[in-house]
Amino acid sequence: MHVGCYAPAGQGIYSFAIAADGGLKPLGLAPNTYSPSWLAASGAHVYAAEEGGDHIAVYAQDEAGGLRLLQREPSGGRGPVHLGLGAARLWVAHYGDARFATLALQPDGRLGEAEGWPGCSGADCRPGPPQAARRPPGSLASSGHDAPHAHMIQASPDGRWLLGTDLGRDRLLVWPLGPGAPKAGAQELALSPGSGPRHFAFHPRDPRWVYVLQEESSTLSTVELTPDGPQLRDEISVLPAGFAGTSYASGLLVAPGGRHLYALNRLHDSLAVLSLAHAHGPRLLDHHWVHGSYPRSACVAGHHLYVCNQRSDQLSHFNLGRPEAPRFTGRQTPVPAPAAACAL
């Protein structure tokens, strides 16, 4: 497993060997002072979004699990915060200037030159309100509504669509998936005002259903990809009933087995478990304390889940023998300002 961190506390990408029982053995550090805050992995290669350097760093994993830098390539925009792999390409979302980009994957794992495009233009770039209309009582959550801010991009599993989020404009963007950058404007779906759409996940068996996690409202929107464009079908909170105050939703991932979603809540510091028994409407089941502060993302490796607790500088280990009930193992691994992790 490899963990990217925020500078200056984090010095790069920290690598670990995963034992059968989920324990982590340190393997070393690939130095990187540009805040490699998002990682994507393919084959024996790791791709890191250098949020503080506007580049993508490409690493090769050796037989001992260490990383060797192969390439640093301009990302095609400012402040890359998410990487998606699909259709033999790497896709990039840039928070800094709301641009998206794509780079072709070469046979040796390296990247071609970035081809970028804007997420909006002109009057369409007006941001949404600074606070979410559907925020919890007393919430002061406010982030990113000063301007457009791309936050995620990913190709659909069926190879039909390319999806992106714009947190600043409260939009989900959908393009037909082609061989490179989209040639036409996106179909846009307006989500609840001020909600701040961040990350999304596709239903594991029916990719026409997409679940969008919204940072400022701490809600999950269910979207159906239809012939007439994306349609909003549902929106529910990922916080406990009766919650009051400020929290920021962050990471979203599908649990092993594909019957549940995991959503992370920063400040509430919880892992929310949602049932996917009904694709058109996930149901909130439970919350689990992450045993740390400010969970930014998480990584699944087999039956193990590792939560990146950014402000408490550690990974918390969970056992996923029962995906509907993640169990904290009592183990934690020190890592400075962890932001994202990936397993090979």
Side-chain angles (χ1 to χ4, degrees):
M1 187 171 72
H2 307 287
V3 184
C5 303
Y6 275 113
Q11 296 299 301
I13 301 176
Y14 297 77
S15 298
F16 301 87
I18 306 173
D21 64 357
L24 298 179
K25 175 186 175 182
L27 295 177
L29 167 68
N32 189 317
T33 60
Y34 298 106
S35 292
S37 61
W38 192 262
L39 306 180
S42 176
H45 295 92
V46 173
Y47 302 89
E50 296 181 345
E51 189 172 345
D54 301 339
H55 279 65
I56 308 300
V58 183
Y59 297 88
Q61 179 182 276
D62 61 31
E63 292 184 359
L67 296 181
R68 176 174 58 89
L69 181 65
L70 289 181
Q71 178 189 17
R72 288 185 72 240
E73 183 71 19
S75 63
R78 290 190 291 106
V81 293
H82 185 271
L83 306 176
L85 289 164
R89 305 189 74 84
L90 184 75
W91 307 91
V92 190
H94 294 90
Y95 192 89
D97 58 6
R99 288 182 65 82
F100 297 93
T102 182
L103 301 89
L105 293 175
Q106 308 297 334
D108 63 356
R110 297 173 191 264
L111 298 171
E113 186 176 346
E115 182 183 2
W117 71 96
C120 62
S121 61
D124 292 337
C125 291
R126 289 173 296 188
Q131 287 195 304
R134 299 193 61 170
R135 65 188 182 275
S139 173
L140 299 179
S142 178
S143 65
H145 282 85
D146 58 327
H149 292 293
H151 216 307
M152 179 175 175
I153 185 169
Q154 183 67 56
S156 64
D158 59 7
R160 298 182 61 196
W161 307 104
L162 181 66
L163 275 65
T165 52
D166 187 327
L167 180 144
R169 295 194 301 129
D170 305 314
R171 294 291 193 272
L172 178 69
L173 313 177
V174 181
W175 301 270
L177 181 61
K183 305 305 180 188
Q187 294 178 311
E188 294 196 4
L189 175 65
L191 299 170
S192 58
S195 59
R198 181 180 173 90
H199 287 179
F200 56 86
F202 294 91
H203 191 283
R205 293 177 296 278
D206 189 348
R208 67 185 166 129
W209 295 101
V210 183
Y211 309 103
V212 185
L213 189 64
Q214 289 146 249
E215 179 174 308
E216 291 184 44
S217 59
S218 294
T219 57
L220 184 77
S221 287
T222 299
V223 175
E224 184 180 6
L225 302 179
T226 77
D228 297 322
Q231 304 291 325
L232 180 63
R233 300 304 189 200
D234 191 25
E235 184 178 0
I236 63 171
S237 176
V238 295
L239 291 167
F243 176 88
T246 301
S247 190
Y248 293 86
S250 54
L252 183 70
L253 62 162
V254 177
R259 294 182 172 85
H260 300 86
L261 284 175
Y262 297 146
L264 293 167
N265 294 305
R266 295 171 291 180
L267 296 187
H268 187 251
D269 292 340
S270 65
L271 172 69
V273 182
L274 301 102
S275 169
L276 288 179
H278 302 289
H280 60 274
R283 180 170 60 91
L284 185 62
L285 297 179
D286 203 358
H287 292 83
H288 301 268
W289 179 36
V290 296
H291 295 263
S293 175
Y294 222 63
R296 191 171 190 90
S297 66
C299 173
V300 171
H303 291 293
H304 308 288
L305 178 76
Y306 304 91
V307 179
C308 296
N309 295 313
Q310 180 186 351
R311 291 186 180 174
S312 51
D313 303 310
Q314 93 270 68
L315 309 179
S316 290
H317 302 205
F318 287 80
N319 181 281
L320 302 180
R322 295 177 58 209
E324 73 279 10
R327 178 179 59 83
F328 177 59
T329 66
R331 286 196 182 102
Q332 292 183 313
T333 300
V335 180
C342 67
L344 285 174

